[in-house]
Amino acid sequence: MPKLLSKTHTGLLASALAAVLALTPTAANAAPGADVRFVAHLDIAAGQRPENITLEPGGSAVVTFAFSRQIARISPTGEVRILATLPQPPAGSTTPVLSSPFLGGIVRTHDETLYFLYATGSSDLTGLWRLRPGGTPQRIAALPADGLPNGLALDQHGHQLYIADSVLGTVWRVPVGGGTPTRWAAAPELAADGFLGANGIKIHRGAVWVSNLDKGTVLRIPVTRHGDAGPVQTRASGLVDIDDFAFTGHGDTLLAAINADNEIALVKPGGQHKVVLTGADGLENPTSLAVRGTTAYIASGAYVTDNDPNLLAARINPGR
């Protein structure tokens, strides 16, 4: 555990350890703006704090509930159905930095299979997991127990999964069928600086893109013609506490979840960025985003506000 944490990082860690937090003044219960609507208000008492999100063709979203070890489907009308609960770690297991078991990134393939990441601090459970329709969760790749697998991205064409490890500052690669992970990229730009480093991850236009929470950066790592990692490029900075991000479909323009500040930032290809959503729109420590058409779905874990974890839908306007 880091010796020195900023006030923001201390708050995040305290929430992760399920400390009792005083409620922060928030506008989350106010009516959101005209371009924003609540899909669901989630049950904080039941541990429904969404960490990551993937979308289904029928309009539902599937999320990971980080510290309750659950995968859940949220319908377009806000109903929540638990699809699976991951095993409880062995007694005495401690997840790096966060202490508690952590269920992170999730993606979905066309055959409805879900892939997701689980960190427990124990070698028997930490890794990449799979859930087939009607089946039970199965670990298909072990990852280092001293790491924190966080973001997950799917390369549909190459049949590979890419994993951002926030503690080890590494991008792992695993075949969709499972197997031994490859340390695909490890560079100073991916490392933590007091709390968590590499966080969100996406495959986009021939490259692996990664956010770094501590350093406030969005990084682009080209995939060479041999499938190796090219030189790391910093494409945006000044986004401290960036969690996940998603591309809008307009070139390299993306939306970034700024967790601690209850903000969504629109980031242009040149790195310029501005805040487009705030706590007044209902954000409660946004953790992840997914985009379909002209709508962005935003999951808020309420890790610091400890008030109203939710799922929002917002209309995208990349030109503003």
Side-chain angles (χ1 to χ4, degrees):
M1 182 179 296
K3 293 181 180 179
L4 295 175
L5 298 177
S6 70
K7 181 179 179 181
T8 295
H9 293 160
T10 302
L12 286 167
L13 181 57
S15 179
L17 295 173
V20 178
L21 300 175
L23 293 182
T24 305
T26 177
N29 291 322
D35 291 343
V36 184
R37 63 179 175 86
F38 286 107
V39 177
H41 294 279
L42 300 168
D43 187 348
I44 195 169
Q48 295 182 354
R49 298 179 186 264
E51 171 62 25
N52 206 249
I53 181 173
T54 189
L55 301 178
E56 295 186 320
S60 295
V62 178
V63 300
T64 53
F65 290 146
F67 300 114
S68 60
R69 317 187 322 277
Q70 293 179 323
I71 308 292
R73 175 178 289 120
I74 302 174
S75 76
T77 54
E79 289 83 10
V80 178
R81 178 189 169 201
I82 304 301
L83 302 179
T85 301
L86 276 291
Q88 178 74 39
S93 300
T94 301
T95 306
V97 178
L98 302 179
S99 296
S100 301
F102 177 77
L103 198 53
I106 187 168
V107 297
R108 180 186 184 277
T109 53
H110 294 309
D111 64 359
E112 302 181 24
T113 300
L114 297 169
Y115 296 85
F116 44 91
L117 298 169
Y118 189 35
T120 64
S122 62
S123 59
D124 60 331
L125 295 177
T126 300
L128 173 67
W129 289 66
R130 178 176 63 202
L131 178 65
R132 289 182 168 136
T136 57
Q138 174 190 15
R139 188 173 73 159
I140 62 171
L143 289 165
D146 60 348
L148 187 74
N150 195 335
L152 180 63
L154 170 66
D155 178 2
Q156 301 254 26
H157 300 293
H159 306 289
Q160 301 285 335
L161 292 154
Y162 290 81
I163 298 160
D165 191 311
S166 298
V167 168
L168 299 180
T170 296
V171 174
W172 301 98
R173 186 173 65 187
V174 180
V176 170
T180 303
T182 299
R183 190 185 294 268
W184 185 76
E189 293 91 340
L190 298 166
D193 186 18
F195 187 58
L196 298 175
N199 197 317
I201 186 168
K202 295 291 185 291
I203 308 298
H204 178 69
R205 299 176 68 178
V208 176
W209 295 63
V210 185
S211 60
N212 185 311
L213 185 142
D214 281 348
K215 297 178 180 178
T217 52
V218 177
L219 309 169
R220 181 183 183 273
I221 310 175
V223 180
T224 71
R225 65 189 185 94
H226 298 294
D228 300 323
V232 178
Q233 307 160 359
T234 300
R235 299 300 292 267
S237 58
L239 296 162
V240 177
D241 289 313
I242 180 175
D243 201 314
D244 191 29
F245 61 96
F247 290 94
T248 66
H250 295 257
D252 292 344
T253 300
L254 59 88
L255 294 167
I258 311 300
N259 191 305
D261 292 336
N262 297 324
E263 294 174 348
I264 298 296
L266 180 70
V267 184
K268 292 290 190 176
Q272 306 91 342
H273 50 86
K274 64 178 179 178
V275 173
V276 292
L277 293 175
T278 70
D281 296 294
L283 298 177
E284 296 259 359
N285 306 129
T287 55
S288 55
L289 308 97
V291 172
R292 172 168 291 150
T294 58
T295 302
Y297 294 85
I298 305 161
S300 286
Y303 293 149
V304 176
T305 64
D306 205 33
N307 185 42
D308 177 39
N310 62 60
L311 177 63
L312 289 173
R315 190 172 68 182
I316 297 173
N317 183 6
R320 68 174 178 172

mmCIF file of all heavy atoms in Angstrom, residues 200-248:
data_model
loop_
_atom_site.group_PDB
_atom_site.id
_atom_site.type_symbol
_atom_site.label_atom_id
_atom_site.label_comp_id
_atom_site.label_asym_id
_atom_site.label_seq_id
_atom_site.Cartn_x
_atom_site.Cartn_y
_atom_site.Cartn_z
ATOM 1 N N GLY A 200 -8.460 2.272 -17.604
ATOM 2 C CA GLY A 200 -9.333 1.912 -18.716
ATOM 3 C C GLY A 200 -8.519 1.497 -19.927
ATOM 4 O O GLY A 200 -7.358 1.886 -20.086
ATOM 5 N N ILE A 201 -9.131 0.699 -20.798
ATOM 6 C CA ILE A 201 -8.420 0.232 -21.992
ATOM 7 C C ILE A 201 -9.428 -0.018 -23.102
ATOM 8 O O ILE A 201 -10.525 -0.525 -22.862
ATOM 9 C CB ILE A 201 -7.581 -1.028 -21.667
ATOM 10 C CG1 ILE A 201 -6.723 -1.459 -22.848
ATOM 11 C CG2 ILE A 201 -8.477 -2.167 -21.210
ATOM 12 C CD1 ILE A 201 -5.677 -2.520 -22.480
ATOM 13 N N LYS A 202 -9.048 0.365 -24.337
ATOM 14 C CA LYS A 202 -9.899 0.165 -25.507
ATOM 15 C C LYS A 202 -9.034 -0.193 -26.714
ATOM 16 O O LYS A 202 -7.875 0.232 -26.809
ATOM 17 C CB LYS A 202 -10.703 1.440 -25.836
ATOM 18 C CG LYS A 202 -11.716 1.846 -24.775
ATOM 19 C CD LYS A 202 -12.873 0.884 -24.676
ATOM 20 C CE LYS A 202 -13.951 1.350 -23.694
ATOM 21 N NZ LYS A 202 -13.497 1.305 -22.287
ATOM 22 N N ILE A 203 -9.606 -0.954 -27.653
ATOM 23 C CA ILE A 203 -8.988 -1.199 -28.952
ATOM 24 C C ILE A 203 -9.637 -0.242 -29.945
ATOM 25 O O ILE A 203 -10.869 -0.192 -30.068
ATOM 26 C CB ILE A 203 -9.209 -2.656 -29.419
ATOM 27 C CG1 ILE A 203 -8.789 -3.653 -28.326
ATOM 28 C CG2 ILE A 203 -8.474 -2.907 -30.722
ATOM 29 C CD1 ILE A 203 -7.339 -3.585 -27.961
ATOM 30 N N HIS A 204 -8.806 0.522 -30.661
ATOM 31 C CA HIS A 204 -9.365 1.557 -31.540
ATOM 32 C C HIS A 204 -8.386 1.874 -32.658
ATOM 33 O O HIS A 204 -7.246 2.279 -32.408
ATOM 34 C CB HIS A 204 -9.646 2.818 -30.709
ATOM 35 C CG HIS A 204 -10.181 3.972 -31.487
ATOM 36 N ND1 HIS A 204 -11.436 4.001 -32.057
ATOM 37 C CD2 HIS A 204 -9.609 5.175 -31.805
ATOM 38 C CE1 HIS A 204 -11.630 5.148 -32.673
ATOM 39 N NE2 HIS A 204 -10.534 5.874 -32.542
ATOM 40 N N ARG A 205 -8.807 1.623 -33.862
ATOM 41 C CA ARG A 205 -8.072 2.021 -35.059
ATOM 42 C C ARG A 205 -6.610 1.583 -35.027
ATOM 43 O O ARG A 205 -5.683 2.374 -35.151
ATOM 44 C CB ARG A 205 -8.188 3.534 -35.272
ATOM 45 C CG ARG A 205 -9.619 3.991 -35.471
ATOM 46 C CD ARG A 205 -9.739 5.498 -35.578
ATOM 47 N NE ARG A 205 -9.140 6.009 -36.800
ATOM 48 C CZ ARG A 205 -9.146 7.289 -37.155
ATOM 49 N NH1 ARG A 205 -9.736 8.184 -36.370
ATOM 50 N NH2 ARG A 205 -8.592 7.676 -38.275
ATOM 51 N N GLY A 206 -6.408 0.279 -34.846
ATOM 52 C CA GLY A 206 -5.072 -0.296 -34.937
ATOM 53 C C GLY A 206 -4.181 -0.060 -33.743
ATOM 54 O O GLY A 206 -2.949 -0.196 -33.858
ATOM 55 N N ALA A 207 -4.761 0.292 -32.614
ATOM 56 C CA ALA A 207 -3.954 0.563 -31.429
ATOM 57 C C ALA A 207 -4.705 0.181 -30.156
ATOM 58 O O ALA A 207 -5.934 0.060 -30.153
ATOM 59 C CB ALA A 207 -3.553 2.037 -31.375
ATOM 60 N N VAL A 208 -3.938 0.004 -29.104
ATOM 61 C CA VAL A 208 -4.492 -0.191 -27.766
ATOM 62 C C VAL A 208 -4.372 1.146 -27.037
ATOM 63 O O VAL A 208 -3.284 1.712 -26.952
ATOM 64 C CB VAL A 208 -3.728 -1.295 -27.005
ATOM 65 C CG1 VAL A 208 -4.249 -1.428 -25.581
ATOM 66 C CG2 VAL A 208 -3.839 -2.631 -27.736
ATOM 67 N N TRP A 209 -5.495 1.652 -26.561
ATOM 68 C CA TRP A 209 -5.528 2.921 -25.837
ATOM 69 C C TRP A 209 -5.738 2.639 -24.352
ATOM 70 O O TRP A 209 -6.568 1.789 -23.994
ATOM 71 C CB TRP A 209 -6.655 3.806 -26.358
ATOM 72 C CG TRP A 209 -6.501 4.246 -27.785
ATOM 73 C CD1 TRP A 209 -6.479 3.447 -28.897
ATOM 74 C CD2 TRP A 209 -6.360 5.588 -28.260
ATOM 75 N NE1 TRP A 209 -6.335 4.202 -30.034
ATOM 76 C CE2 TRP A 209 -6.273 5.526 -29.680
ATOM 77 C CE3 TRP A 209 -6.325 6.837 -27.641
ATOM 78 C CZ2 TRP A 209 -6.130 6.666 -30.470
ATOM 79 C CZ3 TRP A 209 -6.200 7.975 -28.440
ATOM 80 C CH2 TRP A 209 -6.099 7.884 -29.823
ATOM 81 N N VAL A 210 -5.006 3.340 -23.507
ATOM 82 C CA VAL A 210 -5.046 3.085 -22.058
ATOM 83 C C VAL A 210 -5.082 4.414 -21.316
ATOM 84 O O VAL A 210 -4.367 5.362 -21.681
ATOM 85 C CB VAL A 210 -3.800 2.284 -21.602
ATOM 86 C CG1 VAL A 210 -3.913 1.920 -20.125
ATOM 87 C CG2 VAL A 210 -3.610 1.024 -22.444
ATOM 88 N N SER A 211 -5.898 4.489 -20.267
ATOM 89 C CA SER A 211 -5.860 5.665 -19.385
ATOM 90 C C SER A 211 -4.987 5.361 -18.175
ATOM 91 O O SER A 211 -4.871 4.207 -17.746
ATOM 92 C CB SER A 211 -7.271 6.041 -18.922
ATOM 93 O OG SER A 211 -7.875 4.970 -18.208
ATOM 94 N N ASN A 212 -4.368 6.392 -17.617
ATOM 95 C CA ASN A 212 -3.582 6.270 -16.391
ATOM 96 C C ASN A 212 -4.210 7.189 -15.347
ATOM 97 O O ASN A 212 -4.174 8.417 -15.492
ATOM 98 C CB ASN A 212 -2.122 6.640 -16.626
ATOM 99 C CG ASN A 212 -1.254 6.395 -15.398
ATOM 100 O OD1 ASN A 212 -1.579 6.796 -14.288
ATOM 101 N ND2 ASN A 212 -0.116 5.722 -15.598
ATOM 102 N N LEU A 213 -4.817 6.611 -14.324
ATOM 103 C CA LEU A 213 -5.564 7.380 -13.330
ATOM 104 C C LEU A 213 -4.679 8.385 -12.603
ATOM 105 O O LEU A 213 -5.013 9.568 -12.495
ATOM 106 C CB LEU A 213 -6.238 6.425 -12.339
ATOM 107 C CG LEU A 213 -7.162 7.069 -11.293
ATOM 108 C CD1 LEU A 213 -8.383 6.179 -11.054
ATOM 109 C CD2 LEU A 213 -6.436 7.298 -9.977
ATOM 110 N N ASP A 214 -3.538 7.936 -12.081
ATOM 111 C CA ASP A 214 -2.676 8.826 -11.307
ATOM 112 C C ASP A 214 -2.098 9.953 -12.155
ATOM 113 O O ASP A 214 -2.015 11.101 -11.705
ATOM 114 C CB ASP A 214 -1.515 8.032 -10.693
ATOM 115 C CG ASP A 214 -1.920 7.255 -9.455
ATOM 116 O OD1 ASP A 214 -3.022 7.491 -8.932
ATOM 117 O OD2 ASP A 214 -1.126 6.408 -9.003
ATOM 118 N N LYS A 215 -1.681 9.628 -13.367
ATOM 119 C CA LYS A 215 -0.986 10.605 -14.203
ATOM 120 C C LYS A 215 -1.926 11.433 -15.065
ATOM 121 O O LYS A 215 -1.500 12.396 -15.708
ATOM 122 C CB LYS A 215 0.055 9.890 -15.064
ATOM 123 C CG LYS A 215 1.140 9.232 -14.206
ATOM 124 C CD LYS A 215 2.167 8.480 -15.031
ATOM 125 C CE LYS A 215 3.211 7.850 -14.117
ATOM 126 N NZ LYS A 215 4.219 7.066 -14.872
ATOM 127 N N GLY A 216 -3.207 11.065 -15.088
ATOM 128 C CA GLY A 216 -4.191 11.859 -15.816
ATOM 129 C C GLY A 216 -3.981 11.864 -17.306
ATOM 130 O O GLY A 216 -4.246 12.873 -17.975
ATOM 131 N N THR A 217 -3.565 10.740 -17.860
ATOM 132 C CA THR A 217 -3.227 10.682 -19.270
ATOM 133 C C THR A 217 -4.067 9.650 -20.011
ATOM 134 O O THR A 217 -4.597 8.708 -19.430
ATOM 135 C CB THR A 217 -1.743 10.322 -19.463
ATOM 136 O OG1 THR A 217 -1.443 9.136 -18.714
ATOM 137 C CG2 THR A 217 -0.841 11.451 -18.982
ATOM 138 N N VAL A 218 -4.165 9.860 -21.333
ATOM 139 C CA VAL A 218 -4.681 8.848 -22.248
ATOM 140 C C VAL A 218 -3.537 8.486 -23.189
ATOM 141 O O VAL A 218 -2.947 9.368 -23.832
ATOM 142 C CB VAL A 218 -5.895 9.353 -23.042
ATOM 143 C CG1 VAL A 218 -6.346 8.290 -24.045
ATOM 144 C CG2 VAL A 218 -7.038 9.719 -22.113
ATOM 145 N N LEU A 219 -3.223 7.204 -23.254
ATOM 146 C CA LEU A 219 -2.074 6.719 -24.009
ATOM 147 C C LEU A 219 -2.531 5.899 -25.206
ATOM 148 O O LEU A 219 -3.546 5.194 -25.149
ATOM 149 C CB LEU A 219 -1.192 5.847 -23.115
ATOM 150 C CG LEU A 219 -0.794 6.444 -21.770
ATOM 151 C CD1 LEU A 219 -0.151 5.387 -20.888
ATOM 152 C CD2 LEU A 219 0.158 7.621 -21.970
ATOM 153 N N ARG A 220 -1.773 5.993 -26.283
ATOM 154 C CA ARG A 220 -2.015 5.170 -27.478
ATOM 155 C C ARG A 220 -0.795 4.292 -27.709
ATOM 156 O O ARG A 220 0.333 4.791 -27.779
ATOM 157 C CB ARG A 220 -2.284 6.044 -28.701
ATOM 158 C CG ARG A 220 -2.563 5.251 -29.980
ATOM 159 C CD ARG A 220 -2.749 6.185 -31.182
ATOM 160 N NE ARG A 220 -3.097 5.440 -32.391
ATOM 161 C CZ ARG A 220 -2.203 4.897 -33.236
ATOM 162 N NH1 ARG A 220 -0.900 5.045 -32.997
ATOM 163 N NH2 ARG A 220 -2.616 4.233 -34.310
ATOM 164 N N ILE A 221 -1.028 2.974 -27.840
ATOM 165 C CA ILE A 221 0.058 2.034 -28.092
ATOM 166 C C ILE A 221 -0.251 1.317 -29.404
ATOM 167 O O ILE A 221 -1.154 0.475 -29.459
ATOM 168 C CB ILE A 221 0.200 1.000 -26.951
ATOM 169 C CG1 ILE A 221 0.252 1.697 -25.593
ATOM 170 C CG2 ILE A 221 1.442 0.148 -27.168
ATOM 171 C CD1 ILE A 221 0.262 0.745 -24.404
ATOM 172 N N PRO A 222 0.446 1.639 -30.478
ATOM 173 C CA PRO A 222 0.162 0.999 -31.760
ATOM 174 C C PRO A 222 0.409 -0.514 -31.697
ATOM 175 O O PRO A 222 1.318 -0.977 -31.001
ATOM 176 C CB PRO A 222 1.152 1.668 -32.717
ATOM 177 C CG PRO A 222 1.610 2.912 -32.027
ATOM 178 C CD PRO A 222 1.540 2.618 -30.565
ATOM 179 N N VAL A 223 -0.413 -1.256 -32.430
ATOM 180 C CA VAL A 223 -0.184 -2.690 -32.596
ATOM 181 C C VAL A 223 0.571 -2.864 -33.907
ATOM 182 O O VAL A 223 0.067 -2.497 -34.982
ATOM 183 C CB VAL A 223 -1.511 -3.473 -32.636
ATOM 184 C CG1 VAL A 223 -1.243 -4.968 -32.812
ATOM 185 C CG2 VAL A 223 -2.318 -3.225 -31.374
ATOM 186 N N THR A 224 1.791 -3.390 -33.847
ATOM 187 C CA THR A 224 2.606 -3.555 -35.053
ATOM 188 C C THR A 224 2.029 -4.667 -35.931
ATOM 189 O O THR A 224 1.160 -5.434 -35.518
ATOM 190 C CB THR A 224 4.052 -3.892 -34.703
ATOM 191 O OG1 THR A 224 4.106 -5.232 -34.182
ATOM 192 C CG2 THR A 224 4.606 -2.915 -33.661
ATOM 193 N N ARG A 225 2.535 -4.782 -37.143
ATOM 194 C CA ARG A 225 2.024 -5.807 -38.053
ATOM 195 C C ARG A 225 2.326 -7.212 -37.557
ATOM 196 O O ARG A 225 1.719 -8.178 -38.018
ATOM 197 C CB ARG A 225 2.565 -5.588 -39.469
ATOM 198 C CG ARG A 225 4.050 -5.737 -39.638
ATOM 199 C CD ARG A 225 4.476 -5.286 -41.029
ATOM 200 N NE ARG A 225 5.895 -5.515 -41.294
ATOM 201 C CZ ARG A 225 6.369 -6.591 -41.896
ATOM 202 N NH1 ARG A 225 5.544 -7.538 -42.288
ATOM 203 N NH2 ARG A 225 7.659 -6.727 -42.111
ATOM 204 N N HIS A 226 3.256 -7.322 -36.615
ATOM 205 C CA HIS A 226 3.550 -8.627 -36.007
ATOM 206 C C HIS A 226 2.764 -8.844 -34.716
ATOM 207 O O HIS A 226 2.913 -9.872 -34.059
ATOM 208 C CB HIS A 226 5.044 -8.739 -35.721
ATOM 209 C CG HIS A 226 5.907 -8.663 -36.948
ATOM 210 N ND1 HIS A 226 5.888 -9.625 -37.941
ATOM 211 C CD2 HIS A 226 6.798 -7.715 -37.353
ATOM 212 C CE1 HIS A 226 6.731 -9.287 -38.891
ATOM 213 N NE2 HIS A 226 7.292 -8.135 -38.572
ATOM 214 N N GLY A 227 1.925 -7.838 -34.350
ATOM 215 C CA GLY A 227 1.111 -7.972 -33.147
ATOM 216 C C GLY A 227 1.777 -7.486 -31.878
ATOM 217 O O GLY A 227 1.184 -7.577 -30.791
ATOM 218 N N ASP A 228 2.997 -6.951 -31.986
ATOM 219 C CA ASP A 228 3.704 -6.450 -30.807
ATOM 220 C C ASP A 228 3.262 -5.028 -30.472
ATOM 221 O O ASP A 228 2.563 -4.378 -31.248
ATOM 222 C CB ASP A 228 5.223 -6.474 -31.053
ATOM 223 C CG ASP A 228 5.736 -7.873 -31.336
ATOM 224 O OD1 ASP A 228 5.227 -8.831 -30.709
ATOM 225 O OD2 ASP A 228 6.632 -8.012 -32.202
ATOM 226 N N ALA A 229 3.708 -4.548 -29.314
ATOM 227 C CA ALA A 229 3.403 -3.180 -28.888
ATOM 228 C C ALA A 229 4.416 -2.208 -29.474
ATOM 229 O O ALA A 229 5.632 -2.417 -29.355
ATOM 230 C CB ALA A 229 3.423 -3.090 -27.368
ATOM 231 N N GLY A 230 3.910 -1.149 -30.113
ATOM 232 C CA GLY A 230 4.779 -0.095 -30.601
ATOM 233 C C GLY A 230 5.086 0.910 -29.505
ATOM 234 O O GLY A 230 4.722 0.712 -28.341
ATOM 235 N N PRO A 231 5.740 2.013 -29.823
ATOM 236 C CA PRO A 231 6.082 3.029 -28.822
ATOM 237 C C PRO A 231 4.830 3.665 -28.220
ATOM 238 O O PRO A 231 3.858 3.950 -28.921
ATOM 239 C CB PRO A 231 6.886 4.064 -29.616
ATOM 240 C CG PRO A 231 7.326 3.351 -30.857
ATOM 241 C CD PRO A 231 6.272 2.344 -31.153
ATOM 242 N N VAL A 232 4.876 3.917 -26.926
ATOM 243 C CA VAL A 232 3.745 4.536 -26.223
ATOM 244 C C VAL A 232 3.672 6.016 -26.589
ATOM 245 O O VAL A 232 4.676 6.732 -26.537
ATOM 246 C CB VAL A 232 3.885 4.371 -24.703
ATOM 247 C CG1 VAL A 232 2.723 5.059 -23.986
ATOM 248 C CG2 VAL A 232 3.947 2.892 -24.333
ATOM 249 N N GLN A 233 2.479 6.476 -26.946
ATOM 250 C CA GLN A 233 2.254 7.878 -27.279
ATOM 251 C C GLN A 233 1.249 8.467 -26.287
ATOM 252 O O GLN A 233 0.198 7.865 -26.042
ATOM 253 C CB GLN A 233 1.688 7.993 -28.697
ATOM 254 C CG GLN A 233 2.505 7.294 -29.760
ATOM 255 C CD GLN A 233 1.703 7.019 -31.022
ATOM 256 O OE1 GLN A 233 0.518 7.333 -31.094
ATOM 257 N NE2 GLN A 233 2.342 6.437 -32.025
ATOM 258 N N THR A 234 1.552 9.630 -25.734
ATOM 259 C CA THR A 234 0.599 10.325 -24.864
ATOM 260 C C THR A 234 -0.295 11.194 -25.726
ATOM 261 O O THR A 234 0.165 12.124 -26.379
ATOM 262 C CB THR A 234 1.332 11.182 -23.817
ATOM 263 O OG1 THR A 234 2.154 10.335 -23.007
ATOM 264 C CG2 THR A 234 0.323 11.900 -22.918
ATOM 265 N N ARG A 235 -1.599 10.898 -25.726
ATOM 266 C CA ARG A 235 -2.524 11.616 -26.592
ATOM 267 C C ARG A 235 -3.344 12.671 -25.862
ATOM 268 O O ARG A 235 -3.959 13.528 -26.478
ATOM 269 C CB ARG A 235 -3.452 10.620 -27.295
ATOM 270 C CG ARG A 235 -2.703 9.624 -28.172
ATOM 271 C CD ARG A 235 -1.909 10.297 -29.283
ATOM 272 N NE ARG A 235 -2.764 10.909 -30.273
ATOM 273 C CZ ARG A 235 -3.159 10.294 -31.389
ATOM 274 N NH1 ARG A 235 -2.747 9.075 -31.668
ATOM 275 N NH2 ARG A 235 -3.957 10.913 -32.243
ATOM 276 N N ALA A 236 -3.410 12.582 -24.532
ATOM 277 C CA ALA A 236 -4.091 13.614 -23.733
ATOM 278 C C ALA A 236 -3.513 13.592 -22.338
ATOM 279 O O ALA A 236 -3.073 12.550 -21.842
ATOM 280 C CB ALA A 236 -5.596 13.371 -23.686
ATOM 281 N N SER A 237 -3.497 14.756 -21.687
ATOM 282 C CA SER A 237 -2.993 14.859 -20.313
ATOM 283 C C SER A 237 -3.876 15.841 -19.551
ATOM 284 O O SER A 237 -4.779 16.463 -20.113
ATOM 285 C CB SER A 237 -1.527 15.311 -20.302
ATOM 286 O OG SER A 237 -1.384 16.558 -20.971
ATOM 287 N N GLY A 238 -3.612 15.986 -18.245
ATOM 288 C CA GLY A 238 -4.398 16.903 -17.434
ATOM 289 C C GLY A 238 -5.752 16.355 -17.047
ATOM 290 O O GLY A 238 -6.651 17.112 -16.689
ATOM 291 N N LEU A 239 -5.918 15.020 -17.109
ATOM 292 C CA LEU A 239 -7.191 14.374 -16.772
ATOM 293 C C LEU A 239 -7.026 13.533 -15.504
ATOM 294 O O LEU A 239 -7.401 12.356 -15.457
ATOM 295 C CB LEU A 239 -7.646 13.485 -17.937
ATOM 296 C CG LEU A 239 -7.956 14.208 -19.245
ATOM 297 C CD1 LEU A 239 -7.967 13.231 -20.425
ATOM 298 C CD2 LEU A 239 -9.308 14.926 -19.152
ATOM 299 N N VAL A 240 -6.475 14.144 -14.461
ATOM 300 C CA VAL A 240 -6.179 13.416 -13.225
ATOM 301 C C VAL A 240 -7.436 12.762 -12.661
ATOM 302 O O VAL A 240 -8.507 13.374 -12.625
ATOM 303 C CB VAL A 240 -5.540 14.357 -12.182
ATOM 304 C CG1 VAL A 240 -5.298 13.619 -10.866
ATOM 305 C CG2 VAL A 240 -4.223 14.902 -12.718
ATOM 306 N N ASP A 241 -7.276 11.496 -12.252
ATOM 307 C CA ASP A 241 -8.364 10.651 -11.750
ATOM 308 C C ASP A 241 -9.274 10.162 -12.859
ATOM 309 O O ASP A 241 -10.414 9.766 -12.609
ATOM 310 C CB ASP A 241 -9.170 11.337 -10.639
ATOM 311 C CG ASP A 241 -8.375 11.449 -9.359
ATOM 312 O OD1 ASP A 241 -7.761 10.448 -8.948
ATOM 313 O OD2 ASP A 241 -8.351 12.546 -8.773
ATOM 314 N N ILE A 242 -8.752 10.132 -14.096
ATOM 315 C CA ILE A 242 -9.504 9.511 -15.178
ATOM 316 C C ILE A 242 -9.634 8.017 -14.895
ATOM 317 O O ILE A 242 -8.672 7.354 -14.516
ATOM 318 C CB ILE A 242 -8.816 9.754 -16.540
ATOM 319 C CG1 ILE A 242 -9.627 9.083 -17.662
ATOM 320 C CG2 ILE A 242 -7.371 9.290 -16.548
ATOM 321 C CD1 ILE A 242 -9.099 9.364 -19.066
ATOM 322 N N ASP A 243 -10.834 7.523 -15.044
ATOM 323 C CA ASP A 243 -11.088 6.095 -14.862
ATOM 324 C C ASP A 243 -11.207 5.469 -16.256
ATOM 325 O O ASP A 243 -10.232 5.357 -16.967
ATOM 326 C CB ASP A 243 -12.355 5.898 -14.021
ATOM 327 C CG ASP A 243 -12.432 4.539 -13.354
ATOM 328 O OD1 ASP A 243 -12.155 3.538 -14.046
ATOM 329 O OD2 ASP A 243 -12.780 4.447 -12.161
ATOM 330 N N ASP A 244 -12.382 5.110 -16.669
ATOM 331 C CA ASP A 244 -12.584 4.514 -17.976
ATOM 332 C C ASP A 244 -12.827 5.612 -19.019
ATOM 333 O O ASP A 244 -12.972 6.794 -18.684
ATOM 334 C CB ASP A 244 -13.788 3.574 -17.897
ATOM 335 C CG ASP A 244 -13.936 2.684 -19.114
ATOM 336 O OD1 ASP A 244 -12.918 2.362 -19.748
ATOM 337 O OD2 ASP A 244 -15.083 2.315 -19.431
ATOM 338 N N PHE A 245 -12.904 5.212 -20.287
ATOM 339 C CA PHE A 245 -13.203 6.150 -21.373
ATOM 340 C C PHE A 245 -13.838 5.359 -22.512
ATOM 341 O O PHE A 245 -13.794 4.123 -22.547
ATOM 342 C CB PHE A 245 -11.942 6.866 -21.853
ATOM 343 C CG PHE A 245 -10.881 5.943 -22.396
ATOM 344 C CD1 PHE A 245 -10.775 5.708 -23.762
ATOM 345 C CD2 PHE A 245 -9.987 5.295 -21.552
ATOM 346 C CE1 PHE A 245 -9.805 4.855 -24.270
ATOM 347 C CE2 PHE A 245 -9.023 4.429 -22.042
ATOM 348 C CZ PHE A 245 -8.923 4.208 -23.414
ATOM 349 N N ALA A 246 -14.443 6.067 -23.449
ATOM 350 C CA ALA A 246 -15.054 5.429 -24.606
ATOM 351 C C ALA A 246 -15.002 6.376 -25.787
ATOM 352 O O ALA A 246 -15.182 7.597 -25.622
ATOM 353 C CB ALA A 246 -16.511 5.040 -24.309
ATOM 354 N N PHE A 247 -14.763 5.837 -26.964
ATOM 355 C CA PHE A 247 -14.734 6.644 -28.175
ATOM 356 C C PHE A 247 -16.157 6.929 -28.640
ATOM 357 O O PHE A 247 -17.053 6.090 -28.519
ATOM 358 C CB PHE A 247 -13.926 5.932 -29.260
ATOM 359 C CG PHE A 247 -12.465 5.885 -28.955
ATOM 360 C CD1 PHE A 247 -11.909 4.787 -28.315
ATOM 361 C CD2 PHE A 247 -11.646 6.954 -29.277
ATOM 362 C CE1 PHE A 247 -10.556 4.740 -28.004
ATOM 363 C CE2 PHE A 247 -10.284 6.926 -28.973
ATOM 364 C CZ PHE A 247 -9.736 5.815 -28.334
ATOM 365 N N THR A 248 -16.347 8.121 -29.199
ATOM 366 C CA THR A 248 -17.688 8.550 -29.606
ATOM 367 C C THR A 248 -18.079 8.058 -30.987
ATOM 368 O O THR A 248 -19.239 8.172 -31.380
ATOM 369 C CB THR A 248 -17.789 10.085 -29.598
ATOM 370 O OG1 THR A 248 -16.913 10.605 -30.614
ATOM 371 C CG2 THR A 248 -17.415 10.657 -28.237
#
